[in-house]
Amino acid sequence: MRKFEDSYRHKGLRKKLVDIVREKGIRDEKILDAINKIPRHFFLDSAFDEIAYEDKAFPITADQTISQPYTVAYQTQLLEVKPFMRVLEIGTGSAYQASVLAELGAQVFTIERQKKLFDQNKGFEYLRRYPNIKFFYGDGFEGLPTYGPFDRVIITAAAPIVPPKLVEQMKVGGLMVIPVDAGEIQVMKRITKLEGGETKTEVFDNFSFVPMLQGKNE
Ligand code: SAH
């Protein structure tokens, strides 16, 4: 069960969360504004109502997780999103990250492999305010060839490798932010697509994500 009431208490907790994320080093005010605006507790079961604004990952449907707000902000900051950019997200999950991208004015294309999560988001009233998010049920390793090329690609699950088909679907000059390694800990990488299909890789901090898995789950 979820509760969709945004009280002054929730708003106050959200402001504190923004301060925590800012203190951890996120300086992009547009991203901080998006976190301040989006009622994260709407994306969680009401059992988490009291703790939705702690800077933590929490369980959602189908044994998946909503990413930690700091992680969402960190990936989004590396992605350097500008309004109207076409952004491909792998791992819709709760759709919280997709909502942050939508608040920044991106055209978001997000893929989820868990049918239950995809269906849940179809009935999630709050998301109707973002006509700039398109939801897909499928395998993120395949991307969305008919909707590309994309300015930005963000992977929100632990990728064993940088999926070649996703690199193909990037524009030249485009960026991909991806946590790579199938083990417990992943390193955040930012891939820039260069002329001639070459790529440049930058390496950032360590994080821990649920795995990016092949194929769809009914
Ligand atoms: N961005 C999400 C984080 C969800 S956790 C949020 O804001 O809540 C990662 C999600 O990636 C899970 O829902 C998982 O089912 C999904 N996932 C894992 N492998 C995938 C794949 N190959 N294609 C699409 N989604 C995938």
Side-chain angles (χ1 to χ4, degrees):
M1 250 268 290
R2 298 207 212 177
K3 265 197 245 160
F4 301 109
E5 185 217 337
D6 195 23
S7 67
Y8 282 110
R9 208 185 111 261
H10 289 121
K11 290 188 172 92
L13 290 170
R14 220 146 55 226
K15 275 216 154 58
K16 285 191 189 144
L17 172 63
V18 167
D19 289 340
I20 291 168
V21 171
R22 189 187 278 113
E23 274 161 32
K24 288 185 178 173
I26 304 300
R27 289 294 133 83
D28 187 326
E29 289 299 327
K30 291 204 177 78
I31 297 172
L32 296 169
D33 281 350
I35 292 173
N36 196 34
K37 198 163 163 193
I38 302 169
R40 188 177 189 240
H41 65 285
F42 286 10
F43 295 72
L44 290 162
D45 189 275
S46 60
F48 295 93
D49 195 66
E50 293 292 316
I51 52 174
Y53 294 103
E54 291 184 12
D55 188 23
K56 286 185 185 151
F58 290 115
I60 55 170
T61 302
D63 290 330
Q64 301 305 316
T65 58
I66 181 172
S67 301
Q68 186 181 341
Y70 171 67
T71 306
V72 171
Y74 189 99
Q75 284 198 281
T76 309
Q77 187 163 273
L78 285 180
L79 206 59
E80 297 181 357
V81 177
K82 296 185 187 71
F84 307 111
M85 279 186 166
R86 295 172 80 82
V87 180
L88 174 65
E89 182 196 22
I90 310 303
T92 314
S94 69
Y96 180 78
Q97 169 76 72
S99 301
V100 170
L101 295 168
E103 282 289 342
L104 298 177
Q107 299 291 331
V108 185
F109 300 81
T110 183
I111 312 179
E112 175 56 56
R113 69 180 288 279
Q114 294 280 358
K115 186 76 167 36
K116 272 192 189 153
L117 279 167
F118 174 76
D119 287 342
Q120 194 173 60
N121 285 327
K122 272 200 291 198
F124 184 4
E125 175 82 32
Y126 175 80
L127 297 177
R128 304 223 172 108
R129 73 179 54 216
Y130 301 125
N132 50 331
I133 308 180
K134 294 206 165 31
F135 295 88
F136 298 85
Y137 168 52
D139 178 1
F141 280 97
E142 301 297 323
L144 292 170
T146 54
Y147 292 84
F150 298 97
D151 300 282
R152 301 288 187 261
V153 178
I154 176 170
I155 285 91
T156 66
I161 52 154
V162 177
K165 287 183 184 167
L166 300 187
V167 176
E168 270 170 36
Q169 292 169 32
M170 288 165 75
K171 289 185 186 170
V172 170
L175 300 175
M176 175 192 290
V177 174
I178 177 169
V180 189
D181 196 314
E184 293 275 289
I185 303 291
Q186 295 84 47
V187 56
M188 196 66 75
K189 293 188 175 174
R190 180 165 64 184
I191 317 286
T192 308
K193 184 156 170 178
L194 308 172
E195 293 283 349
E198 300 282 291
T199 57
K200 179 186 96 178
T201 303
E202 297 164 277
V203 173
F204 298 92
D205 294 309
N206 289 342
F207 290 87
S208 185
F209 285 80
V210 296
M212 181 175 181
L213 301 171
Q214 302 273 356
K216 292 189 279 190
N217 194 4
E218 283 293 309

